[in-house]
Amino acid sequence: MTQATYPRLAPYDVGVRGRCPRCGEGHMFEGFLKLKAECEVCGLDYSYADPADGPAFFAITFACLPSALFAVWLELSYQAPYWVHVFTTFPIMLATLLPPLRPLKGWLVASQYYHKAAEARLVRADEEDDRSGW
C-alpha cells in the first residue's frame, strides 16, 4: 500500500476554518474548543497539538483590549453605575473574546503541524556532532 501524499496547506487557511492541517477536508474540533483525537478523513493524530494558552492570549490581547478601553472610557466620561457596565461592557467583552478563540486555536494547531513543532529534547554531544557535520 502506498502512502498518500498531501499538499502543504497554509496554516491560516485551514486553521481558522477548523479543518485538518494535513488534508484540509476533515474537521479538527469535536466541540467548541475540544480537539478530535484524529482526522476522520486522513487519520492524522492530533495528539501532537498543544496550543496551551495561546488562543486566550491572542484573544485577550487583540480583541478584549479595545472593549476594556471602552469600559474605561464609559466610566471616565459618564461615571456610569455598575448596572450599566453589566449590561454594556460585560456583553461587549464576551462578544469580543469568545468568537476568535476557535479560529485562533485552529490556526495555532495547524501552524504546529506545518512547522513540525515538537516538544524540546536534549541532544547528546555525539548526536550534535553528527548533525553539524563535524
Side-chain angles (χ1 to χ4, degrees):
M1 184 170 139
T2 61
Q3 186 176 2
T5 58
Y6 297 98
R8 284 183 57 92
L9 302 172
Y12 181 79
D13 292 339
V14 292
V16 296
R17 293 183 299 128
R19 299 297 184 168
C20 174
R22 181 162 67 183
C23 68
E25 298 296 322
H27 296 89
M28 191 184 305
F29 294 101
E30 192 172 296
F32 179 62
L33 288 175
K34 185 176 183 201
L35 288 175
K36 289 185 171 186
E38 64 182 26
C39 174
E40 71 268 12
V41 176
C42 68
L44 175 65
D45 181 16
Y46 292 128
S47 64
Y48 71 88
D50 183 23
D53 293 333
F57 170 77
F58 287 120
I60 289 169
T61 302
F62 298 112
C64 282
L65 193 59
S67 62
L69 292 175
F70 167 76
V72 171
W73 170 80
L74 182 65
E75 182 61 31
L76 293 176
S77 296
Y78 300 103
Q79 295 179 344
Y82 291 126
W83 67 267
V84 172
H85 286 289
V86 168
F87 289 107
T88 59
T89 307
F90 186 67
I92 289 171
M93 283 193 171
L94 286 179
T96 58
L97 173 68
L98 295 179
L101 283 178
R102 186 175 173 150
L104 285 169
K105 185 170 184 173
W107 169 60
L108 289 173
V109 169
S111 293
Q112 287 178 338
Y113 175 80
Y114 184 84
H115 296 291
K116 297 176 178 63
E119 192 171 321
R121 65 179 186 90
L122 295 175
V123 178
R124 294 190 329 247
D126 58 339
E127 285 181 35
E128 190 174 304
D129 291 342
D130 290 344
R131 289 194 296 151
S132 65
W134 290 89

